[in-house]
Amino acid sequence: MQPDSYGGAFPVRPGSLVLSPSVNYFFANKGWDSLRKRNPFAAGGRFQSVSYSLYTEYGISKRFAVVGTLPFVMNNYRDNSGYNSQTNGLTDLEVGLKCYVANINYIYYFSVQGTFIMPLYTNNVNLGYGEKGAELKASFGGSGHVLGKNYYFTIENGLRQYFGTAGPLQDRYTATFGLTLDKKFKHQLSFSAGGFYSTSSLSSTYDPAHIASNKNFAFNQVSLSYGYAFSKRLSLFLSAGTFINGRNTGDGSSASASLIIRPF
């Protein structure tokens, strides 16, 4: 899980740009079956993924911002029988419009976002479904003071539908709580918990060698992040996370690094 250190319900000022390049590493050598029983992958199988992404958000008015995400992944699955599959490529481009619906005393904020999903590949089950889709996401966030520290929180829930044959309906949810550790706002810690539920009319079996094409699965995960602000325009976030339960999915752990850049 990438740290929710930007975006969410909090507004971006009109004419301001936020860029966030990030890299994420994911590893799994065991998984949960349809009955939520966890077992090692067959023949000592192991799945590794390194993904890169660029998130962009630009404020076009006090209420609206355009957002986009461009991802690139390198997926590899191998086992002790000699099977070795590696796939590199762009996955799904996401472009959306965010509306800041309301705020309470400029402390608590509500937003909704509509996103269009466009696959940048064809006929590759190791990169994704290869189908267009759309998502509607609601976000709530706020900030305040506790135990002499500044804090913030965000809660998000998004419903996503892919439009192709037996395209899955997915629910993505996450909650993040962060604390600023010093008076100069340079150091912060945050904790996130979230999950993913995906369902489809297609009753498919779970194949750990092709995780990206799985349409019927669920999992919950937690992560801890540390952030350091070099300046008001540049911050670094480091995160580590792990799955805590699931169905038809790998039991994985991840580590990520991202920059938050505000050039103007």
Side-chain angles (χ1 to χ4, degrees), residues 86-136:
Q86 180 151 351
T87 305
N88 305 332
L90 295 168
T91 59
D92 292 335
L93 173 68
E94 300 184 8
V95 179
L97 181 67
K98 180 183 293 186
C99 176
Y100 302 104
V101 178
N103 73 80
I104 301 174
N105 297 324
Y106 297 98
I107 297 175
Y108 304 105
Y109 294 89
F110 302 86
S111 73
V112 293
Q113 178 180 320
T115 302
F116 176 71
I117 301 139
M118 169 68 77
L120 301 177
Y121 55 94
T122 55
N123 301 322
N124 194 327
V125 295
N126 292 318
L127 293 177
Y129 305 133
E131 301 170 347
K132 296 177 182 179
E135 181 182 71
L136 182 63

Side-chain angles (χ1 to χ4, degrees), residues 142-162:
S143 59
H145 302 276
V146 62
L147 300 176
K149 304 292 184 182
N150 294 286
Y151 74 86
Y152 73 91
F153 70 89
T154 60
I155 301 172
E156 297 186 326
N157 191 84
L159 288 176
R160 174 173 298 203
Q161 177 70 64
Y162 287 89

Side-chain angles (χ1 to χ4, degrees), residues 164-180:
T165 304
L169 174 66
Q170 299 178 335
D171 183 16
R172 305 179 180 206
Y173 47 91
T174 183
T176 300
F177 179 82
L179 277 177
T180 302

Side-chain angles (χ1 to χ4, degrees), residues 27 46 71 74-75 77 93 110 115 127 157-158 183 194 204 235:
F27 175 81
R46 47 208 179 271
M74 298 185 296
N75 292 333
Y77 184 87
L93 173 68
F110 302 86
T115 302
L127 293 177
N157 191 84
K183 295 182 179 180
S204 59
S235 301

